Amino acid sequence: MKVPLIVLTGFLGAGKTSLVNRLIARRAASADAAGKLAIIVNEFGAIGVDADLLPRGAARQVELPGGCVCCVLSDDLDRTVLEILDGNPEVDTIVLETTGVAEPIPIVWTLERPPLDQRVRVAAIVTVVDPLSWPAARATGPVADIQVEGADVVLVSKLDLAPPAVTAEVVAELARLAPHAPVLALPAAAAVDWLEAALRDPPERGGGHGHDEAAPGEPGPGPHAHGDHDHDHDHDHDHDHPSAPGARHGYVSAAIPVTAAVDLERFEDAVAALPASYFRVKAIVAAVDPRTGSPARGWFAVHRVGGRVSSEPVAAPAAGARMVGLGPVVDAAGLAATIAQAVLPSDGAG
């Protein structure tokens, strides 16, 4: 399967590197950190690694605690990603931290064309916004707005520093700029929880990943609305959801078996149209992809992180076809309705 990659963007000083540092520290402190995470950054120094200590001409990769490998982003994104994958075949997730003035969409275009399209899939563009510096960032030019408009998920940082009224005002403006993306105003530890959950598969059963309640005066998750996805279909659905008991600052999960084959294109559309409270969805299904022109059925993994939906061929699963959702408000009925919209006629649906 392709390696999932999150593009982590945000204007200068938004808190991207702090988030990455917390992710590394979390994995280093965890006795059961699974898999190997690759982090591609612009300079090692920002995450506590002095690049000047590396021998001249050495591969600019270093091993970090917690099953992480870090690599400096060269001018050639293709080469950087391929070198880290070829040199570290055990890597199963990647975080690519952009510069503070980068536009994320051209980066995604590079990742979604050969040769990278056969090795990685863009799981999400995650844009970090500091509510205190947001007005100044916008005043410098259009990049800050472009980063938000291109996001699949917006994470609002530094809630411990920004007054609640300022945060609320910025969250409302972010929701206006990116009506397709969930806007998540989460305490720092909960933001790392979310990033970890986005990078890995959600649990198939049980109560999911709880977060500590926000301190008094801190906002919880911001407004949510449905997002666009990778293939060329537009959707304009807005969904408002009351929080489920105990879920406002945490995640719950739901999982169901998939007993019928589906039309892959219609299924992707239906997954994209789920409420934004379904932060993470994964399904492994038997499907026909009408876009290929072939009637042959195959196995596919379909992913959603934030507003982004992608799919890829996979081997037949030993555990059978299934669909899993993770988020503050998810349920099995919503997953089942999504499947019902895409069942092939020969499998019992019109």
Side-chain angles (χ1 to χ4, degrees):
M1 292 175 65
K2 300 176 186 178
V3 175
L5 181 151
I6 282 182
V7 177
L8 186 65
T9 189
F11 204 74
L12 298 164
K16 302 184 298 297
T17 301
S18 294
L19 182 61
V20 169
N21 276 329
R22 290 189 185 98
L23 179 63
I24 293 170
R26 173 79 60 83
R27 291 178 64 90
S30 174
D32 59 351
K36 188 166 189 177
L37 169 67
I39 300 168
I40 302 175
V41 297
N42 296 290
E43 284 298 335
F44 282 134
I47 59 168
V49 178
D50 190 347
D52 292 335
L53 297 179
L54 295 173
R56 186 175 300 276
R60 303 195 74 192
Q61 294 184 22
V62 293
E63 295 285 337
L64 300 172
C68 297
V69 59
C70 186
C71 179
V72 166
L73 178 61
S74 73
D75 292 335
D76 186 342
L77 177 58
D78 290 36
R79 179 165 57 86
T80 301
V81 174
L82 292 174
E83 283 181 355
I84 205 167
L85 290 175
D86 291 343
N88 303 272
E90 67 275 31
V91 163
D92 57 10
T93 51
I94 300 174
V95 173
L96 168 57
E97 180 189 341
T98 73
T99 70
V101 293
E103 296 183 13
I105 297 302
I107 294 172
V108 171
W109 288 341
T110 298
L111 294 166
E112 292 182 341
R113 71 186 185 199
L116 296 183
D117 63 335
Q118 298 303 307
R119 305 290 299 276
V120 301
R121 62 174 179 83
V122 178
I125 300 171
V126 177
T127 299
V128 182
V129 172
D130 170 12
L132 289 175
S133 65
W134 171 247
R138 299 185 77 189
T140 65
V143 170
D145 281 13
I146 290 170
Q147 291 171 341
V148 170
E149 290 165 352
D152 298 303
V153 177
V154 181
L155 287 180
V156 182
S157 64
K158 305 184 183 180
L159 300 187
D160 56 331
L161 302 177
V166 171
T167 299
E169 183 177 348
V170 170
V171 165
E173 180 62 17
L174 295 171
R176 186 190 67 79
L177 283 172
H180 56 278
V183 179
L184 308 182
L186 299 173
V192 177
D193 288 347
W194 182 89
L195 187 60
E196 283 193 307
L199 285 166
R200 67 171 181 261
D201 289 342
E204 292 194 19
R205 294 283 187 271
H209 310 274
H211 297 313
D212 294 333
E213 289 293 322
E218 288 183 342
H224 304 306
H226 165 62
D228 294 332
H229 48 108
D230 288 6
H231 48 90
D232 295 328
H233 298 279
D234 294 324
H235 298 276
D236 186 16
H237 308 283
D238 291 329
H239 306 267
D240 295 317
H241 299 276
S243 293
R248 181 171 177 178
H249 298 288
Y251 301 138
V252 294
S253 63
I256 61 172
V258 180
T259 58
V262 299
D263 177 302
L264 185 63
E265 185 175 20
R266 282 195 285 140
F267 185 61
E268 289 176 8
D269 286 344
V271 170
L274 280 167
S277 61
Y278 289 72
F279 289 166
R280 177 71 166 94
V281 176
K282 180 176 180 180
I284 298 179
V285 294
V288 172
D289 187 352
R291 294 162 294 194
T292 66
S294 170
R297 296 186 184 187
W299 287 98
F300 295 86
V302 177
H303 307 269
R304 170 172 157 169
V305 177
R308 178 173 294 267
V309 173
S310 61
S311 64
E312 59 183 320
V314 294
R322 60 198 182 277
M323 185 176 185
V324 186
L326 176 72
V329 184
V330 302
D331 58 45
L335 300 178
T338 301
I339 296 165
Q341 295 177 54
V343 172
L344 291 171
S346 59
D347 278 60

